């Protein structure tokens, strides 16, 4: 009898591990994503002499490969922008003293043209990875990063500053630490707006693809394989047919990004929206529904979700520097010292005056004061 029970239990467990029909539909998509990453990695680690030997071809059959390279660059830039947003935006929102410095710096950074960053970062990345394509790839990714990160950071910063007070009070009643409150309350509250800004930032990155993939160092120009380089070559040769091809491929890539990345994120993050009334139509995603209906893939992804949930529940107490003023006042913490605030303001003013002096001195070396 006991053997039969164990056998039935084993069969039930084995049945739960068997893929269903939705798994067979999702597996090819996952394999394609893995293949894209592997191919992109091998091409990135190739010697830079390969780029100099292979000119950009206007053959339409090359466009799928170029589209893959551009897609991976923009995805890498988006990941870097997201990490920058979480760190920089959090520090600016939770520290009054850091906010006085970080927000103006961010405002200045977003006003600098993308070409301005390329002019002084290309040499750095090429020297960081000498003789490798990865140096030029990092320079291109950084250029795209500068067209995405600032908008996302401002959105996340504003969301952290506008977390409702009643939700903060509830987090206090649950005795959440600053780390737990960040991942359980503040990040979910910010997600809907952040995802929409990610979509806008990704769209803005397309304007700088051409500039980021054609890197000039001295008298040498390094053309990275991609949609931007293809478009630049087509315009240079006045080949309108190739321009039409690249526009079509760009539309397909944007559609793929929407269906495979942003639409699932929007549908998943809809549960975090803070609204008193339900929306007329909830966002839907066929890919998210497909993943939820799978059996084997869902079980494989479940441990990853459990690990992330446990990391978010770690009772880590962050330094007082990262405690938001609103949360600190609710927890009854003492008010910051006015003397320290005055010293900090004086240091910021001195640093600003020094930087202005250095800028003026540098400008005067090439331009006279009357000019």
């Amino acid at each position: 009898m006991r053997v039969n029970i164990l056998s039935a239990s084993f069969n039930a467990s084995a049945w739960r591990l068997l893929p269903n029909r939705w798994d067979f539909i999702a597996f090819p998509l996952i394999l394609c994503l893995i293949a894209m990453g592997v191919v992109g990695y091998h091409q990135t680690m190739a010697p830079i002499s390969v780029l100099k030997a292979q000119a950009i071809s206007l053959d339409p059959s090359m466009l799928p490969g170029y589209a893959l390279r551009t897609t991976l660059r923009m995805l890498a830039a988006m990941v870097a922008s997201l990490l920058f947003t979480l760190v920089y935006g959090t520090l600016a929102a939770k520290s009054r003293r850091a906010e006085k410095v970080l927000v103006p710096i961010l405002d200045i950074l977003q006003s600098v043209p993308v070409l301005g960053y390329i002019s002084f970062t290309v040499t750095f990345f090429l020297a960081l990875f000498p003789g490798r394509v990865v140096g030029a790839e990092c320079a291109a990714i950084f250029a795209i990063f500068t067209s995405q990160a600032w908008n996302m950071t401002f959105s996340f910063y504003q969301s952290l500053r506008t977390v409702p007070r009643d939700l903060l009070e509830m987090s206090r009643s649950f005795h959440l630490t600053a780390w737990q409150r960040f991942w359980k309350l503040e990040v979910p509250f910010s997600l809907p707006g952040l995802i929409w800004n990610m979509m806008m930032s990704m769209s803005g990155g397309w304007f700088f693809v051409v500039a980021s993939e054609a890197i000039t160092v001295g008298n040498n120009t390094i053309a990275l394989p991609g949609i931007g380089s293809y478009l630049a070559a087509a315009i240079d040769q006045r080949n309108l047919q190739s321009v039409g091809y690249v526009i079509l491929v760009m539309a397909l890539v944007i559609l793929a990004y929407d269906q495979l990345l942003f639409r699932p994120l929007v549908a998943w993050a809809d549960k975090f929206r803070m609204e008193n009334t339900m929306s007329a139509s909830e966002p839907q995603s066929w890919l998210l529904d497909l993943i939820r209906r799978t059996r084997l893939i869902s079980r494989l992804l479940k441990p990853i979700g459990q690990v992330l949930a446990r990391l978010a529940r770690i009772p880590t107490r962050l330094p007082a520097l990262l405690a938001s003023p609103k949360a600190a006042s609710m927890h009854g913490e003492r008010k910051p010292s006015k003397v320290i605030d005055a010293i900090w303001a004086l240091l910021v003013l001195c640093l600003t005056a020094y930087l202005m002096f250095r800028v003026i001195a540098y400008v005067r070396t090439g331009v006279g004061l009357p000019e």
Side-chain angles (χ1 to χ4, degrees), residues 38-53:
V38 172
V39 171
Y41 173 78
H42 283 289
Q43 292 177 344
T44 299
M45 299 307 297
I48 200 169
S49 58
V50 174
L51 296 180
K52 299 178 180 179

Side-chain angles (χ1 to χ4, degrees), residues 321-344:
L321 177 67
L322 297 181
S324 62
K326 188 186 297 185
S329 63
M330 294 180 60
H331 282 73
E333 297 178 5
R334 64 179 183 178
K335 296 182 179 180
S337 172
K338 293 183 178 180
V339 176
I340 298 179
D341 286 345
I343 296 175
W344 175 256

Side-chain angles (χ1 to χ4, degrees), residues 20 54 74 84 95 164 175 178 189 194 236 243 253 346 352:
N20 58 15
Q54 297 177 354
M74 298 193 72
F84 176 85
S95 173
H175 302 286
F189 177 80
L194 179 60
D236 186 56
V243 173
V253 171
L346 181 61
T352 304

Side-chain angles (χ1 to χ4, degrees), residues 14 19 48 56 74 120 177 197 204 220 233 240 250 253 274 315 327 341:
I48 200 169
I56 299 298
M74 298 193 72
F120 68 87
T177 64
N197 275 276
N220 298 323
L240 296 181
M250 287 176 63
V253 171
M274 290 291 298
D341 286 345

Side-chain angles (χ1 to χ4, degrees), residues 172-249:
R172 179 188 178 187
S173 64
F174 281 106
H175 302 286
L176 298 182
T177 64
W179 173 264
Q180 294 170 334
R181 183 172 61 249
F182 178 74
W183 291 110
K184 292 294 185 180
L185 171 60
E186 294 167 344
V187 170
F189 177 80
S190 307
L191 269 180
L194 179 60
I195 291 175
W196 282 106
N197 275 276
M198 288 171 60
M199 297 173 64
M200 295 176 59
S201 299
M202 180 67 77
S203 301
W206 283 104
F207 290 99
F208 308 102
V209 167
V210 175
S212 65
E213 292 182 350
I215 299 173
T216 301
V217 181
N219 297 325
N220 298 323
T221 299
I222 302 175
L224 292 171
I227 292 179
S229 298
Y230 186 97
L231 179 60
I235 294 174
D236 186 56
Q237 299 180 23
R238 299 181 180 180
N239 191 328
L240 296 181
Q241 186 177 11
S242 297
V243 173
Y245 287 145
V246 76
I247 292 176
L248 177 61
V249 172

Side-chain angles (χ1 to χ4, degrees), residues 112-318:
V112 177
V114 174
L115 296 178
Y117 292 106
I118 295 178
S119 61
F120 68 87
T121 57
V122 170
T123 305
F124 168 76
F125 285 113
L126 291 179
L128 189 62
F129 303 97
R132 293 290 176 181
V133 178
V134 64
E137 291 283 358
C138 288
I141 291 172
F142 183 80
I144 300 173
F145 164 86
T146 58
S147 67
Q148 298 176 348
W150 322 136
N151 180 44
M152 294 169 54
T153 305
F154 270 120
S155 170
F156 187 65
Y157 161 78
Q158 183 63 26
S159 297
L160 292 181
R161 294 297 303 270
T162 57
V163 176
R165 194 177 185 87
D166 55 343
L167 294 181
L168 292 174
E169 181 65 32
M170 185 176 296
S171 69
R172 179 188 178 187
S173 64
F174 281 106
H175 302 286
L176 298 182
T177 64
W179 173 264
Q180 294 170 334
R181 183 172 61 249
F182 178 74
W183 291 110
K184 292 294 185 180
L185 171 60
E186 294 167 344
V187 170
F189 177 80
S190 307
L191 269 180
L194 179 60
I195 291 175
W196 282 106
N197 275 276
M198 288 171 60
M199 297 173 64
M200 295 176 59
S201 299
M202 180 67 77
S203 301
W206 283 104
F207 290 99
F208 308 102
V209 167
V210 175
S212 65
E213 292 182 350
I215 299 173
T216 301
V217 181
N219 297 325
N220 298 323
T221 299
I222 302 175
L224 292 171
I227 292 179
S229 298
Y230 186 97
L231 179 60
I235 294 174
D236 186 56
Q237 299 180 23
R238 299 181 180 180
N239 191 328
L240 296 181
Q241 186 177 11
S242 297
V243 173
Y245 287 145
V246 76
I247 292 176
L248 177 61
V249 172
M250 287 176 63
L252 294 176
V253 171
I254 293 172
L255 179 63
Y257 259 120
D258 175 71
Q259 294 295 317
L260 301 180
L261 178 62
F262 291 121
R263 189 64 62 88
L265 287 176
V266 170
W268 173 75
D270 186 65
K271 59 185 177 182
F272 299 121
R273 286 193 307 170
M274 290 291 298
E275 293 184 0
N276 295 327
T277 58
M278 294 293 294
S279 58
S281 59
E282 296 183 359
Q284 301 292 330
S285 169
W286 63 268
L287 181 61
L288 185 61
D289 294 337
L290 174 63
I291 297 298
R292 287 172 175 171
R293 291 172 182 173
T294 59
R295 180 187 297 147
L296 180 59
I297 294 178
S298 297
R299 292 188 66 86
L300 293 177
L301 294 177
K302 189 175 181 179
I304 300 177
Q306 292 175 346
V307 170
L308 295 177
R310 290 179 181 177
L311 290 176
R313 290 196 298 266
I314 295 177
T316 303
R317 295 193 176 275
L318 299 179

